Amino acid sequence: MLGFWQIWQERTVEEKRKRQSRRKEIYVSVDIEVDGPIPGPHSMLSLGAAAFLEDGTLIETFSINLETLPGSYGDPDTMKWWSKNKTAWRKCRSNQQSPRAAMKAFDQWVRNLPGRPVCTAYPATFDFMFIYWYFIMFLRKSPFGFSAIDIHSYAMGSLGKRFSETRRSKIPATWFTNIGKHRHVALDDALFQGKFFMNMVKDARTRAHAAESLR
């Protein structure tokens, strides 16, 4: 009976730890490369993701290249752009996986993160549109639900400015500290945007705490 009691206690503690862990938010910065403006007629070519703890610590990354959708085609304007960015094109066309296998792998990666996954993208209206479409088309489910944080919109709300006033030249330089460069490689750009977002979150919380201390 003692052995059973010990096992029951250990399981209870483990289940409590898991529940507490799931309450933490994990910010998953995503970036994609595509061959056209909308999913279906065009394809997602590459998907990169970087997961951050609430304090900004990078904990996991994910990257995969996808085969094009059956019957899809490359948008002429998009393919013209790719013809001028051949290095990035080669990187997103190596080691391709089927769309179903790629989304299954990404779904599993997201669900294994040690907290509640919150998707972030720049712009979310584009990147998340493709990712959500692929999730529903091939898995009939999304680990993010149907929500994502648009980084540009977060900047607007954080600064209390108009949307047009949150371009790079008009926002704090500290948000760009140690974030790398935008390279049109999915994982690199997911890291770039994720670090940018976490710098914004840190700054917003610092200002909120400062305001609270003055009350």
Side-chain angles (χ1 to χ4, degrees), residues 60-139:
E60 297 277 354
T61 62
F62 178 90
S63 180
I64 201 163
N65 293 335
L66 295 80
E67 297 171 354
T68 56
L69 298 167
S72 66
Y73 63 95
D75 169 68
D77 289 338
T78 306
M79 298 312 296
K80 182 178 180 180
W81 181 90
W82 276 118
S83 70
K84 299 176 182 178
N85 293 271
K86 295 181 180 179
T87 299
W89 174 259
R90 286 194 297 270
K91 288 185 177 181
C92 78
R93 294 295 76 209
S94 64
N95 303 317
Q96 300 172 33
Q97 301 291 319
S98 72
R100 186 179 300 279
M103 299 315 292
K104 185 176 181 179
F106 186 45
D107 176 72
Q108 189 63 50
W109 180 84
V110 173
R111 293 181 188 279
N112 284 338
L113 292 172
R116 178 176 176 268
V118 179
C119 185
T120 72
Y122 191 105
T125 49
F126 183 79
D127 295 68
F128 188 70
M129 171 181 65
F130 267 87
I131 291 171
Y132 184 74
W133 188 95
Y134 268 70
F135 268 135
I136 300 305
M137 177 59 67
F138 294 103
L139 302 185

Side-chain angles (χ1 to χ4, degrees), residues 86-214:
K86 295 181 180 179
T87 299
W89 174 259
R90 286 194 297 270
K91 288 185 177 181
C92 78
R93 294 295 76 209
S94 64
N95 303 317
Q96 300 172 33
Q97 301 291 319
S98 72
R100 186 179 300 279
M103 299 315 292
K104 185 176 181 179
F106 186 45
D107 176 72
Q108 189 63 50
W109 180 84
V110 173
R111 293 181 188 279
N112 284 338
L113 292 172
R116 178 176 176 268
V118 179
C119 185
T120 72
Y122 191 105
T125 49
F126 183 79
D127 295 68
F128 188 70
M129 171 181 65
F130 267 87
I131 291 171
Y132 184 74
W133 188 95
Y134 268 70
F135 268 135
I136 300 305
M137 177 59 67
F138 294 103
L139 302 185
R140 308 304 301 172
K141 60 181 180 179
S142 164
F144 301 115
F146 48 78
S147 301
I149 297 173
D150 178 65
I151 295 175
H152 194 167
S153 299
Y154 184 87
M156 175 187 175
S158 180
L159 295 174
K161 293 185 176 182
R162 296 165 60 193
F163 195 72
S164 60
E165 294 175 331
T166 53
R167 296 194 178 100
R168 180 164 184 168
S169 61
K170 297 183 178 181
I171 58 181
T174 54
W175 290 0
F176 297 94
T177 302
N178 300 320
I179 67 173
K181 295 182 178 180
H182 195 272
R183 304 178 186 276
H184 296 294
V185 175
L187 179 55
D188 290 349
D189 294 351
L191 285 164
F192 172 88
Q193 291 159 186
K195 292 174 182 178
F196 175 61
F197 175 71
M198 296 313 304
N199 282 344
M200 284 196 292
V201 171
K202 181 180 179 180
D203 181 60
R205 289 176 177 171
T206 298
R207 286 187 283 109
H209 290 157
E212 282 290 330
S213 66
L214 295 175

Side-chain angles (χ1 to χ4, degrees), residues 35-65:
D35 65 5
I38 58 173
H42 313 298
S43 301
M44 179 162 62
L45 306 176
S46 184
L47 167 61
F52 296 84
L53 297 176
E54 292 186 47
D55 65 1
T57 302
L58 174 67
I59 57 169
E60 297 277 354
T61 62
F62 178 90
S63 180
I64 201 163
N65 293 335

Side-chain angles (χ1 to χ4, degrees), residues 3-77:
F4 172 81
W5 178 251
Q6 288 177 330
I7 292 172
W8 181 83
Q9 281 188 316
E10 289 174 356
R11 286 182 177 176
T12 300
V13 171
E14 177 62 14
E15 288 172 359
K16 183 178 180 181
R17 184 193 65 79
K18 287 182 178 179
R19 287 196 299 270
Q20 290 174 338
S21 176
R22 293 303 294 179
R23 293 193 193 105
K24 300 175 183 177
E25 290 187 343
I26 305 293
Y27 298 111
V28 183
S29 170
V30 298
D31 185 80
I32 63 171
E33 301 300 331
V34 299
D35 65 5
I38 58 173
H42 313 298
S43 301
M44 179 162 62
L45 306 176
S46 184
L47 167 61
F52 296 84
L53 297 176
E54 292 186 47
D55 65 1
T57 302
L58 174 67
I59 57 169
E60 297 277 354
T61 62
F62 178 90
S63 180
I64 201 163
N65 293 335
L66 295 80
E67 297 171 354
T68 56
L69 298 167
S72 66
Y73 63 95
D75 169 68
D77 289 338

